[in-house]
Amino acid sequence: MTHATEPTHRLVSTQAGRIHLVEQGSGPLVLLVHGFPESWYSWRHQLPALAAAGYRAVAIDVRGYGRSSKPAAPEAYRLTELVEDNVSVVRALGEESAVVVGHDWGSPIASTSGLLRPEVFRAVGMLSVPYTPRGGPRPTELFAHMGGGEDEFYISYFQEPGRAEAEIEPDVRGWLAAFYRALSAGTMPGPGDPAPYLVSPGSTLRDRCPDGPPPAWLGEAELDFYAGEFERTGLTGALNRYRNMDRDWTDLAAHDGAPLTQPSLFAGGALDVTMTWLADAVKAFPVTLPGLVSSHLLDDCGHWIQQERPEETNRLLIDWLAELPA
């Protein structure tokens, strides 16, 4: 074991400007990529644990978030651009290669990084969102059919510029608390309750999120941090990720159905609705992830796996990392 150093904040240059990162520890590089609506801070429990286990753990603010650059053009948030940000971070840190781990949107960012730049990303960990190769219908066509009757699927709702911003930005803190609550074990809606990922005509996404106390993992200090970040930056950079799904589908046409061959890990929460939507993707792992080392579903866990169950997530990551070729 190496002694875990204190976390250090840095800004590194990329083709779009800068990426803010927080690093802790020394050893093989592990790049941590967050999802929506989060931040480097969502890896606060993993940074010291990975550092103590002998790794150089680096959590970034994805382009559009926190102190990282926020290009104005919506198309600047396509996956191919975010992959190059990850490559730039590895190079700026003086490294040749890294293990990349992503949660939520960070998972496809991580897997696409491994797919497009296998010489840089030698292993890929995915949390909450399983690897799903490019294929099938154009995403906007697919999501148009995922509503319930007149209801609209949340991804379609997020894809219209300005629409979700108008809902969220008047009360960022309240909206985040409701969104986190809706996807957390112990506070998510029960069977028969309105689905929090659908938007009824004339209403908002938050209208379907449950009221009540925050989930156990989300204290006042944590919520204050997230709210402060998005009150400062706004939500457009984060939401622009959703607005590039058709561009990603076009950009990755040459990789249709392509497997991810590096050593990989998947872990999700058994109560996460994503596991229902993407159950077929998990079943396809023997074909799509031929290098899969381990796959885990944590009982009584929702979507925010590394924050809801930090100790178990840390153990899974460290055990997997220990099995990787040097």
Side-chain angles (χ1 to χ4, degrees):
M1 292 281 189
T2 59
H3 181 68
T5 59
E6 290 300 308
T8 302
H9 292 253
R10 290 178 59 176
L11 297 173
V12 300
S13 295
T14 68
Q15 60 184 6
R18 68 180 183 275
I19 290 291
H20 168 245
L21 59 86
V22 180
E23 65 174 318
Q24 190 166 357
S26 59
L29 177 60
V30 181
L31 185 66
L32 304 168
V33 187
H34 67 80
F36 175 90
E38 300 179 87
S39 133
W40 74 266
Y41 185 73
S42 62
W43 301 103
R44 63 195 175 280
H45 302 297
Q46 285 67 51
L47 287 166
L50 292 174
Y55 296 94
R56 184 183 189 185
V58 173
I60 66 169
D61 277 334
V62 172
R63 181 186 299 204
Y65 287 82
R67 293 167 58 191
S68 293
S69 289
K70 299 159 195 64
E75 59 269 21
Y77 297 84
R78 64 215 302 162
L79 279 173
T80 53
E81 297 275 346
L82 302 181
V83 167
E84 289 310 305
D85 283 347
N86 285 350
V87 173
S88 295
V89 168
V90 174
R91 298 289 185 248
L93 294 172
E95 303 283 357
E96 292 297 319
S97 67
V99 174
V100 61
V101 180
H103 170 257
D104 183 78
W105 259 122
S107 178
I109 295 171
S111 60
T112 307
S113 296
L115 185 69
L116 300 184
R117 299 299 298 270
E119 78 284 5
V120 177
F121 300 103
R122 62 188 182 91
V124 181
M126 293 156 279
L127 304 182
S128 300
V129 176
Y131 178 57
T132 307
R134 188 266 191 207
R138 187 176 292 274
T140 50
E141 297 172 8
L142 174 66
F143 298 130
H145 298 290
M146 290 186 69
E150 294 184 341
D151 293 338
E152 183 178 15
F153 194 50
Y154 80 102
I155 291 179
S156 300
Y157 178 71
F158 283 170
Q159 285 179 331
E160 185 177 332
R163 190 173 169 204
E165 288 94 324
E167 170 188 348
I168 301 168
E169 293 190 2
D171 179 17
V172 171
R173 194 177 194 277
W175 191 92
L176 290 174
F179 193 73
Y180 296 144
R181 187 186 303 120
L183 299 177
S184 296
T187 56
M188 63 176 59
D193 292 332
Y197 47 84
L198 297 175
V199 182
S200 300
S203 69
T204 66
L205 190 66
R206 185 176 175 180
D207 289 338
R208 294 226 179 189
C209 293
D211 292 323
W217 64 267
L218 185 69
E220 291 295 315
E222 287 81 13
L223 183 55
D224 285 344
F225 183 91
Y226 284 121
E229 293 289 274
F230 289 108
E231 286 166 356
R232 179 167 47 81
T233 65
L235 272 292
T236 297
L239 289 162
N240 276 342
R241 178 78 290 277
Y242 292 91
R243 295 163 186 166
N244 279 276
M245 297 178 79
D246 279 358
R247 290 189 184 96
D248 299 334
W249 186 82
T250 300
D251 289 343
L252 298 174
H255 300 273
D256 192 80
L260 187 66
T261 59
Q262 292 97 318
S264 58
L265 163 84
F266 175 73
L271 299 181
D272 188 350
V273 69
T274 307
M275 294 298 97
T276 301
W277 297 333
L278 297 176
D280 288 345
V282 175
K283 291 176 185 175
F285 280 173
V287 173
T288 61
L289 292 176
L292 184 66
V293 174
S294 58
S295 181
H296 311 268
L297 274 185
L298 302 190
D299 292 337
D300 301 316
C301 182
H303 183 67
W304 318 104
I305 178 171
Q306 78 270 38
Q307 298 180 88
E308 291 187 50
R309 303 283 276 277
E311 292 83 8
E312 287 169 82
T313 302
N314 293 347
R315 186 176 70 250
L316 293 175
L317 288 172
I318 291 166
D319 287 351
W320 170 65
L321 289 166
E323 293 186 41
L324 298 178

